[in-house]
Amino acid sequence: MAEDSKIHHLGWFLAGIGVGAVVGILYAPKSGRETRESLANSAREGTEYVKKTAQQATEQVSAFVDKGKERVSDLVDKSKDQVSEYVDRSREVVDRGRAQWEEFVERGKSLVTDQTTRVTAAVDAGRNAYRTTTVDPTEL
């Protein structure tokens, strides 16, 4: 039943198209040849418009892409400069740290040498004191 309704509506739709076409032909202000030429000219103008618009869009996209490439290139250059600066700063910090470390090591060596000398002197003084205060059993 629903299928018959659809066919019925399609039939009326096609009839409307046919009536519209007949009325259009009867009341057309131009002859068939003139109408065809007018349609062909309109189609050519539309094609030209689409070509011009497409060309303009292509140029705009190219310009946009070129600007994007320039911006990316600028960002890459700036990034390289910043990384180089950070590397230089890091080297300076490492060099300062290494110099301080070497200074601390030298101070440590000096302290160890001083303490070794003091301990050796104290041990020698202790031996000498022991020798002088102890009595040799053969002397008694």
Side-chain angles (χ1 to χ4, degrees):
M1 183 88 119
E3 199 64 35
D4 292 335
S5 177
K6 287 182 183 179
I7 292 174
H8 180 68
H9 288 289
L10 180 63
W12 280 109
F13 176 72
L14 292 175
I17 289 177
V19 170
V22 170
V23 170
I25 290 172
L26 290 176
Y27 289 102
K30 299 178 185 177
S31 68
R33 176 180 287 158
E34 290 174 342
T35 302
R36 285 191 300 275
E37 287 176 2
S38 176
L39 289 173
N41 285 337
S42 294
R44 275 187 237 117
E45 289 173 2
T47 302
E48 287 299 317
Y49 174 77
V50 168
K51 284 181 183 179
K52 286 180 185 177
T53 305
Q55 181 64 30
Q56 289 173 350
T58 301
E59 290 170 359
Q60 288 176 351
V61 168
S62 280
F64 182 75
V65 168
D66 290 342
K67 285 181 183 178
K69 286 179 182 178
E70 290 174 11
R71 287 181 181 164
V72 167
S73 177
D74 290 344
L75 288 174
V76 167
D77 291 342
K78 287 179 183 177
S79 297
K80 285 180 181 178
D81 292 343
Q82 285 181 342
V83 167
S84 178
E85 183 179 330
Y86 291 146
V87 167
D88 292 343
R89 285 182 185 175
S90 298
R91 284 184 181 147
E92 290 173 7
V93 168
V94 167
D95 289 344
R96 274 188 271 146
R98 185 174 291 133
Q100 287 177 349
W101 177 254
E102 289 172 358
E103 183 182 332
F104 291 146
V105 167
E106 288 302 316
R107 283 184 188 173
K109 285 180 182 178
S110 176
L111 289 173
V112 167
T113 302
D114 289 345
Q115 291 300 321
T116 301
T117 304
R118 287 181 181 176
V119 168
T120 303
V123 167
D124 288 342
R127 281 185 191 155
N128 289 336
Y130 179 74
R131 284 184 191 153
T132 56
T133 58
T134 57
V135 178
D136 188 11
T138 55
E139 290 181 11
L140 289 173

